[in-house]
Amino acid sequence: MLYLKKYFTEGLIQFTILLSLIGVRVDVDTYLNSQLPPLREIILGPSSAYTQTQFHNLRNTLDGYGIHPKSVDLDHFFAIRRLLNQVRSLDHLRVPSTELNAWLVHRDPETVVTAASQSSPSIALDNGGSLEDVNNPEPSAMRGAGSTSESTYNLSGEDSLGAVAPEANQEQGNRDNVDELSKEDIDLIDILWRQDIDLGAGREVFNYSSRQKDGEADKPNEANEDADVREEDWRNGINLQEGRGIALVDGETGESIPEQLSSLGTQTSMSLQECLRLLEATFPFGEESEFQATEAAPQLRGPAENVPSTSQGLSLPAPLPQSNAPLDLEQQWQDIMAIMELQDMDVNNTAENTNLNNNNLNNTRTESNESGTMTSFGIPQSSLINQDVSLHQASLPSCSQDLPNLFSSELAPSAVQPPTLLRLSSSNSSNINSTFGVTNLTGLFLPPLNSTNNLTSSPVLPDPFVSLLEESMLDEISLLDLAMEEGFSQAQASQLEDELDSDSGLSLDSGHSPVSPSNSETSCSSAASSSSTSATFSEEGAVGYSTDSEVATAEAEEGAVGGYQPEYSKLCRMSYQDPSHFHNLPQLDSINHNHTYNLPLASSYTEQPQLIGSCSKKCRDKHLQQTKIHSPREFIDKQSSRDERRARAMKIPFSNDKIVNLPVEEFNELLSKHHLSEAQLSLIRDIRRRGKNKMAAQNCRKRKLDTIINLEQGVQDLRRDKARLLKEKMECLRCIRQMKQKVQVLYQEVFSQLRDEEGRPYPASEYCLQYSADGSVLVTPRSMTLEQSRKPDKKPKDKKK
DNA sequence: ACAAATTGTCATAGC
DNA sequence: GCGCTATGACAATTT
């Protein structure tokens, strides 16, 4: 099981990295949940607190749009392709970045105006159409949308495929009657429908609607828990005819890949297709025949007959049989890596192809060059890729360097991954992808999503929003990055990602919060800030630490003082190694606690160290609690300290942090500025007293601990000294003993050689040798020894040796 | 459920 | 006298 898990996880990682290279927002969570429940269980475990939906909500809040959590993001890739094809169809027209950006905006059902105003007309209309499709299943509404979409199609050079777009839309509305149509009609409809999807109608929306329509069979499941729902979605995606509910393959395959094939030939979709095939081999879907993409595939396949489309890669029998998949995993990964390297080569060579279209590794260069000239739509791919690259450059390249270090030896395929190919896609996503260990899928794909949103939406949005997005994403990434830089192990990194995930999970609430996405500007900004993984930058409201936009807003409105702990708790572990990394997290200014007894006392009032200690236990606990907490308020309350709750209850207009940490002058000034009741003043002073005493107690305990530690160290030192001295003493005694033995030997030798005047030896019983102070040795009668000791000079016989 | 550890708070002393 | 810190003792909370 673990073996499988490892491979699956790695597979997802690799695949995500691969897709990130081509700018595709990959939502593996969705795959796991909606399409591969067994795999999800394999990877995450049956009881895993999998909060992937929070992911989506993070993303949703980031761009401020209510994307369905079960959205399959893979279609973005194909939407990108379609848009690129549109660009090509414009001949020499360079697509402004805003157009590509608007492509993502289309997902917001309620921001049509914004999208229309900020993007090219075609896209805007496209957006509107998609929105209509999504929200209004009625054919009339969809017809208008479809017509607009069709104009876009015409631009994109998909006329042959999309000429019947309105009908397709209509059919989409009446999908249930599709069985009555001929096979050809079905194919056409299917194609057009997929185009609609790419034009903006998120597949998840169709999933949802299909569930609403066709959910009779699935209704019981919908009432069940989340996992069941996801599993149902998966079933829908697989089984529903015409792929309305198909979450993974249908939409993108039917449309984009065939386009690529028709336009670019075999080179275009190969790498992606191969990757998908590999993915399929890794994650056998097992229900290939039910993928609707097979219906449209023959028609769309075109010249690249031998090169199946992406959908086919998934739907058709894979080159690697499913049964053999586990056995060939290594080879598959090698293939994937080869493909990725090919992409990298392409980028390095001509910087022209984001489509990852090389089937033959040996032909990489030539094909890429050809792709530069093979502009079926009249525009060199280099320009297209430039567009794409420029989009990706909207993200931050800050963490690119860390990538190589982040791969463990376990991830051999990724370890060989050249850094440059990561640059092709957004540096953020790639980096984050790379940073992920094998353990956490949720964390794995959050940053790519996030970054993708940022990439696509930021140019369209006003600057404040852009900055917010970038800031939030930056923070998240930087946190991960920092954690990596700090030498986090992979497990720690994954844990960190979990934390980030959980943060995104917090934003889940915001996603469902009353904050309407309709007022896109404000709500977007707030949502963006809130969804920034760990940072809710509402510092100005003296709150600054709520985990969710709604909460932040509410807190700010109340002037409440907030529960900083949720955020801190996520960050604490991350920051533990180096609190200085949090300089860019303004909300941390409100951190009050300092349980980091090992830190200098002087830093007690600085923001960073204070979040370090307090989170250790709480964070984990609260992280676990998140799933149980239903409302942001409840969450905040649970996270808040008593004083914070009291302050909120009393509507204290500033944070506990300020109350506690402000200097007396500023504190009094603050009090004077507000008209506070006596109860409020009393509470504030109590809060200040308790807060200061709390820190004092912490410092005291720290000192106490330090004292104990120092004493223990002293005791150890003394014991060490004692042992050393004892050893030296023993050594000396041993030396003395040896010297005595030597002296004794010499004595015997000398004494035995002594002779009196008559040549006779001295009897040892009567004479002995005696050493004088000047070094001379005397032969002394033993009877005189005592006397000689008193009068050593009287010895008659003197013999020197 | 319980014990141990941790953390918060109060009272008090001292600077 | 005020503000602050230090610290013992106890309570609350967490592990």
Side-chain angles (χ1 to χ4, degrees), chain A residues 41-54:
Chain A
E41 291 216 344
I42 289 172
I43 296 171
L44 300 172
S47 62
S48 171
Y50 192 49
T51 58
Q52 54 87 24
T53 54
Q54 301 165 357

Side-chain angles (χ1 to χ4, degrees), chain A residues 52-220:
Chain A
Q52 54 87 24
T53 54
Q54 301 165 357
F55 236 78
H56 299 276
N57 282 281
L58 170 68
R59 182 188 60 211
N60 298 343
T61 52
L62 255 185
D63 56 14
Y65 309 136
I67 301 171
H68 194 279
K70 296 179 180 59
S71 157
V72 179
D73 293 304
L74 195 61
D75 57 344
H76 288 280
F77 166 71
F78 301 97
I80 287 177
R81 286 190 166 187
R82 184 182 49 75
L83 290 172
L84 292 178
N85 287 333
Q86 292 179 10
V87 172
R88 293 176 197 148
S89 69
L90 297 177
D91 197 2
H92 299 293
L93 175 62
R94 300 256 171 183
V95 179
S97 61
T98 54
E99 185 165 11
L100 291 178
N101 295 330
W103 156 68
L104 263 194
V105 177
H106 77 279
R107 304 192 68 171
D108 182 7
E110 302 185 22
T111 55
V112 182
V113 175
T114 303
S117 62
Q118 295 180 352
S119 60
S120 67
S122 64
I123 299 298
L125 292 173
D126 191 9
N127 183 10
S130 66
L131 294 175
E132 292 295 332
D133 290 343
V134 171
N135 295 329
N136 300 324
E138 293 116 26
S140 61
M142 287 187 296
R143 183 178 294 275
S147 62
T148 58
S149 302
E150 186 179 8
S151 63
T152 305
Y153 284 161
N154 291 334
L155 291 176
S156 66
E158 302 177 47
D159 318 33
S160 59
L161 300 177
V164 220
E167 288 77 9
N169 289 325
Q170 199 167 7
E171 289 298 334
Q172 177 180 328
N174 301 319
R175 190 60 68 172
D176 291 338
N177 300 329
V178 111
D179 292 339
E180 304 171 3
L181 302 173
S182 67
K183 181 69 166 58
E184 193 174 290
D185 293 337
I186 289 174
D187 291 339
L188 269 177
I189 289 164
D190 186 48
I191 294 164
L192 296 172
W193 172 75
R194 282 190 288 261
Q195 290 173 347
D196 280 344
I197 289 177
D198 289 339
L199 282 175
R203 189 172 290 97
E204 67 279 4
V205 179
F206 292 101
N207 261 337
Y208 194 73
S209 60
S210 66
R211 263 187 299 148
Q212 288 177 334
K213 293 175 190 171
D214 305 334
E216 292 82 20
D218 299 325
K219 280 293 194 292

Side-chain angles (χ1 to χ4, degrees), chain A residues 21 83 174 184 246 258 261 279 288 294 299 321 337 381 387 422 436 446 459 486 495 534 654 702 711 734 740 754:
Chain A
L21 295 175
L83 290 172
N174 301 319
E184 193 174 290
I246 289 179
L261 293 176
L279 180 67
E288 306 164 7
T294 57
Q299 186 181 9
M337 289 313 301
Q381 286 188 351
Q387 295 295 334
L422 297 172
F436 296 125
L446 168 61
E486 290 304 317
Q495 191 181 20
S534 50
F654 29 81
K702 179 235 176 194
L711 287 175
R734 189 174 58 84
K740 282 182 177 177
L754 288 177

